[in-house]
Amino acid sequence: MLLAKQYSVSPVYSNRNQVQLIKGGRAYFDLLEELIGKAKHTIHLQTYIYVNDETGLRITNALIAAAKRGVAVFVLLDGYGSQQISERWTHLLTDHGVNFRWFAPVMHTRNYYFGRRLHHKIFVADATFSLVGGMNITDRYNDMPGDPAWLDWALYCEGESSADLFMVCVDVWTRSSWQKAKRDFIRQNLPTHLPKTECLVRVRRNDWVRAYNQITRSYLEMFKKAEFHIIIMSSYFLPGRKFRKAILSAVKRGVKIQIIAAGKSDVITAKQAERHLYRWLLKNNIELYEYQPHILHGKISSYDGKWLTVGSYNVNDISTYASIELNMDVLNKPFVNEVENVLNKIIKNDCVRQTAASFSAHNTLPKRIWQRICYQFVRAVFVLFTFYFRQRKWNTENFEQGS
């Protein structure tokens, strides 16, 4: 079987995959529940925010039902992002056979690094079917009556890359505990179905503490390799110095760059800090669009109709140097062309373009001062969150990742 040979995740593309872009909301949670329902051997769910509201309860019930029919279910939640979860809820899971663990419980960690949060959103069933994107498990990412979901995306993958994701989940799960002896049990030889379709997909990770910076490298490769156009949808677009340099280099080569940013944001200070960078973007002939219908939370980028990346990674220094992030890269022209058509429709139908003239017309001096203050504040937060304070000497063999 495939997993018997695969005990590490290769940074190169796997070929035997079938992929589909899933929009957040009802389509995503319907598919998630369906995949939980048909799992036969193992389920891994790792996410930043889990709230036991209507959507969370629905997924909780599905996970418990899977455990009752003999599926090995592993749930790992970030200790800060999911702190609303009660002890009663965690006992409900474990009492029904679900394996549950916190990543970096607040104030209960030996090597505390506040900025290093489990930010990725991964679901893998039977090392075969997977979802990777930006959706947390709570109502605001779902379509609720009178309240549509925030705009977000996930990549559904069936095939070899799902086996790679399974190995990532095993790695993060076992390193978030001292129970490494369970690794061989979790890495059991599962039957893995491989689709007949061919699509190049690779798993990309960012975890600066453990020297993973693959997603950052993917973005830098995109800026370097693009010949015609780049589309970036980012909910918190605050590129650091290295990214701005790479963007300028692409622009100078004649690459058309389109940025889809949030018009409405759940983090007002970050939005104002973004707008401080608008002048730099517009001055360098980068096309800038603000999404209008609802909150934009998606993180997806593509270039030249042949390559894209989608996942939890935001274009800012928190994702680069602090949070644990996971993206999927896809190198496949028909699929990427299809996704770019979707993004272009969003630009045309749901966005307002910001030009130098229009932005200056309504961006008064008090607004510019406030944007500058927000930008400096966010920069200070980035420095705080990306500073790794070690209370003891680092030891890669016995470092307990968070718990």
Side-chain angles (χ1 to χ4, degrees):
M1 295 296 179
L2 177 66
L3 291 179
K5 302 176 182 178
Q6 190 164 351
Y7 280 80
S8 62
V9 179
S10 171
V12 301
Y13 290 92
S14 62
N15 189 38
R16 296 283 297 281
N17 299 289
Q18 181 178 335
V19 297
Q20 182 180 352
L21 185 69
I22 308 297
K23 188 178 180 181
R26 185 177 296 109
Y28 174 80
F29 286 101
D30 285 351
L31 179 56
L32 176 59
E33 188 174 33
E34 177 186 338
L35 293 175
I36 295 172
K38 73 178 185 180
K40 297 178 180 178
H41 305 283
T42 61
I43 287 173
H44 274 275
L45 176 65
Q46 300 183 355
T47 193
Y48 178 58
I49 297 174
Y50 198 122
V51 178
N52 205 27
D53 49 20
E54 183 177 335
T55 298
L57 181 60
R58 172 185 173 188
I59 302 306
T60 297
N61 290 336
L63 293 170
I64 289 174
K68 285 182 176 179
R69 65 176 186 269
V71 178
V73 180
F74 301 88
V75 176
L76 182 67
L77 305 183
D78 184 75
Y80 177 78
S82 297
Q83 59 185 303
Q84 294 183 43
I85 288 293
S86 67
E87 187 175 351
R88 179 183 176 185
W89 180 84
T90 63
H91 287 161
L92 175 68
L93 286 186
T94 56
D95 288 347
H96 286 89
V98 174
N99 299 280
F100 175 81
R101 184 162 296 136
W102 291 110
F103 178 91
V106 178
M107 306 307 293
H108 289 84
T109 177
R110 302 184 182 192
N111 296 280
Y112 192 65
Y113 179 21
F114 186 75
R116 186 170 182 257
R117 310 312 314 178
L118 182 75
H119 192 244
H120 65 214
K121 294 89 179 169
I122 308 175
F123 170 84
V124 187
D126 297 343
T128 304
F129 311 98
S130 63
L131 286 165
V132 169
M135 275 77 73
N136 293 290
I137 310 298
T138 181
D139 285 347
R140 64 176 174 264
Y141 297 90
N142 201 357
D143 292 309
M144 307 303 293
D147 189 15
W150 292 1
L151 180 62
D152 214 329
W153 309 97
L155 186 78
Y156 167 75
C157 183
E158 178 180 336
E160 289 180 316
S161 283
S162 293
D164 284 342
L165 282 168
F166 173 82
M167 301 311 299
V168 169
C169 289
V170 169
D171 180 51
V172 177
W173 173 271
T174 55
R175 285 180 181 270
S176 68
S177 74
W178 287 100
Q179 304 175 54
K180 297 186 190 300
K182 289 187 176 181
R183 186 186 300 264
D184 290 338
F185 165 73
I186 301 171
R187 284 175 163 170
Q188 56 190 299
N189 184 13
L190 298 177
T192 302
H193 163 71
L194 293 179
K196 295 181 180 179
T197 55
E198 294 185 355
C199 180
L200 293 174
V201 181
R202 66 180 177 182
V203 178
R204 305 295 272 173
R205 304 169 71 180
N206 253 47
D207 183 355
W208 183 75
V209 171
R210 292 184 58 202
Y212 288 111
N213 62 349
Q214 295 169 340
I215 308 174
T216 301
R217 293 205 309 270
S218 283
Y219 267 87
L220 293 175
E221 287 174 10
M222 175 181 72
F223 294 128
K224 183 178 180 180
K225 292 181 177 180
E227 297 178 354
F228 306 108
H229 68 266
I230 293 171
I231 304 175
I232 299 173
M233 175 182 282
S234 180
S235 49
Y236 313 107
F237 185 74
L238 283 162
R241 187 175 302 173
K242 184 182 292 187
F243 269 39
R244 293 199 300 272
K245 182 178 178 181
I247 290 170
L248 280 181
S249 178
V251 170
K252 289 177 181 177
R253 296 197 314 270
V255 178
K256 176 183 175 181
I257 299 180
Q258 297 171 292
I259 307 293
I260 306 173
K264 306 170 185 178
S265 177
D266 60 317
V267 185
I268 303 302
T269 303
K271 182 67 249 181
Q272 295 306 315
E274 274 188 19
R275 289 192 170 124
H276 175 72
L277 285 182
Y278 278 13
R279 288 181 291 278
W280 178 85
L281 294 169
L282 296 169
K283 180 179 70 174
N284 289 290
N285 299 315
I286 295 165
E287 293 185 15
L288 179 61
Y289 300 89
E290 286 191 342
Y291 178 76
Q292 298 299 307
H294 204 12
I295 301 292
L296 169 65
H297 193 257
K299 311 112 174 35
I300 184 168
S301 299
S302 68
Y303 77 87
D304 292 351
K306 64 182 182 182
W307 179 94
L308 68 77
T309 187
V310 60
S312 65
Y313 183 91
N314 291 298
V315 182
N316 60 46
D317 282 349
I318 292 289
S319 283
T320 300
Y321 299 113
S323 298
I324 297 176
E325 310 281 3
L326 192 137
N327 271 35
M328 301 288 275
D329 293 352
V330 181
L331 184 61
N332 181 278
K333 285 186 177 181
F335 176 71
V336 177
N337 268 313
E338 180 182 328
V339 173
E340 287 193 348
N341 286 336
V342 172
L343 296 177
N344 283 320
K345 286 181 181 177
I346 289 173
I347 288 174
K348 180 180 178 181
N349 299 326
D350 299 324
C351 293
V352 171
R353 183 172 180 179
Q354 295 286 344
T355 65
S358 64
F359 184 64
S360 297
H362 58 75
N363 203 39
T364 62
L365 179 60
K367 287 183 178 179
R368 293 198 301 271
I369 293 173
W370 177 237
Q371 290 161 7
R372 176 75 179 184
I373 292 171
C374 290
Y375 179 72
Q376 294 298 341
F377 172 75
V378 169
R379 283 187 63 191
V381 170
F382 283 2
V383 170
L384 174 65
F385 278 21
T386 57
F387 175 73
Y388 183 42
F389 175 73
R390 292 182 298 178
Q391 294 176 302
R392 313 182 296 189
K393 183 178 179 180
W394 175 264
N395 186 321
T396 56
E397 291 301 319
N398 64 18
F399 172 64
E400 179 182 10
Q401 185 182 353
S403 128

